[in-house]
Amino acid sequence: MSAEEEKDDVTPGDAPEAKKPAAKKARAKKAAKAAAKVDAKADAKADEGKAAEAKKPAAKKAGKKPAAKKEPVAGEAKKERSKAAAKAPRRRVVRAHARYVRTSARKARMVCGHLRGKSVQEARAILAFTPREVARDWSKLLESAVANAESNHELLEEDLVVREAYADEGPTIKRFRPRAMGRATPIRKRTSHLTIALTTETAQRTTKRNG
């Protein structure tokens, strides 16, 4: 057969069938390249994550303190204390004052020291058997404080305890007395301010526990 007859024997459908395997190979190569790129990116991200995790322990060893363990500021601590104090139940304290009592503060303090921490009944008994003139003034002041607690704050006498009892110095009255040879000697007549504070028995116990 001649070359022209061989060309005529080839059917037109044979040429596309020969080209099909080459096209499939090209597509497979492109898909493989794309998959390789995706795998490379995933490996790079994994390597970056491992490097970041490896750096964290090094930063801790360098002496960096976590933010959660920071000490509170002085202002914040004061605010927390004030909030806790506001939440705590308020103590009812009833006071009575006697001003310009004609006795010295020193003599008044010798009696009031026995009254602190005692109940009203015990304080009355102590004042009744105290051989000092100022005990009468303290007794009057105690009865005034009890009356204030009962009428103004609706508290019972049996629950009251002497929380505070103290005496402050008042103004001194100055007088003079004639003496021999035309002289004059000063006389100082002292005064004092007395104060008694009563509270309930439960509040007194809580203050003792808290110190």
Side-chain angles (χ1 to χ4, degrees):
M1 290 178 66
S2 61
E4 292 179 0
E5 289 178 357
E6 288 179 0
K7 287 181 182 180
D8 293 337
D9 291 338
V10 176
T11 56
D14 293 340
E17 288 178 359
K19 292 180 182 179
K20 281 181 181 179
K24 286 182 180 180
K25 289 180 181 179
R27 289 174 188 174
K29 287 181 181 179
K30 288 182 181 179
K33 288 181 181 179
K37 288 181 181 179
V38 172
D39 294 338
K41 289 180 180 180
D43 294 338
K45 288 182 180 180
D47 293 338
E48 290 177 0
K50 289 180 181 179
E53 289 178 359
K55 288 180 181 178
K56 285 181 181 179
K60 289 181 180 178
K61 291 179 181 178
K64 291 184 179 180
K65 295 181 180 179
K69 294 184 180 180
K70 288 183 178 179
E71 296 181 358
V73 188
E76 295 179 358
K78 288 182 180 179
K79 289 180 181 179
E80 292 178 359
R81 290 175 186 172
S82 61
K83 288 180 181 178
K87 291 180 181 179
R90 293 184 179 180
R91 304 170 191 162
R92 287 190 178 182
V93 180
V94 184
R95 289 184 173 83
H97 304 277
R99 296 174 63 81
Y100 305 106
V101 179
R102 293 294 295 269
T103 184
S104 65
R106 176 179 171 274
K107 293 177 181 178
R109 287 168 187 156
M110 294 176 72
V111 177
C112 71
H114 301 286
L115 304 179
R116 297 187 191 100
K118 301 293 191 300
S119 63
V120 173
Q121 292 80 7
E122 292 175 348
R124 281 176 181 162
I126 291 170
L127 294 174
F129 292 97
T130 300
R132 287 187 175 274
E133 188 177 353
V134 72
R136 185 181 178 186
D137 298 319
W138 280 114
S139 180
K140 288 182 180 180
L141 188 60
L142 178 64
E143 298 301 330
S144 177
V146 171
N148 291 341
E150 290 179 346
S151 61
N152 299 337
H153 300 276
E154 299 180 358
L155 299 176
L156 297 176
E157 180 182 332
E158 292 78 9
D159 300 335
L160 297 176
V161 176
V162 179
R163 186 188 180 199
E164 295 176 355
Y166 54 90
D168 298 325
E169 291 185 2
T172 301
I173 301 172
K174 296 179 182 179
R175 296 291 182 266
F176 291 90
R177 182 180 181 180
R179 300 300 295 268
M181 301 176 65
R183 295 176 184 150
T185 56
I187 298 174
R188 297 183 182 88
K189 298 185 177 182
R190 310 281 185 178
T191 62
S192 59
H193 306 313
L194 311 182
T195 303
I196 278 184
L198 303 179
T199 185
T200 56
E201 191 172 358
T202 55
Q204 184 70 14
R205 287 177 181 173
T206 53
T207 53
K208 285 183 179 179
R209 286 178 183 176
N210 295 334

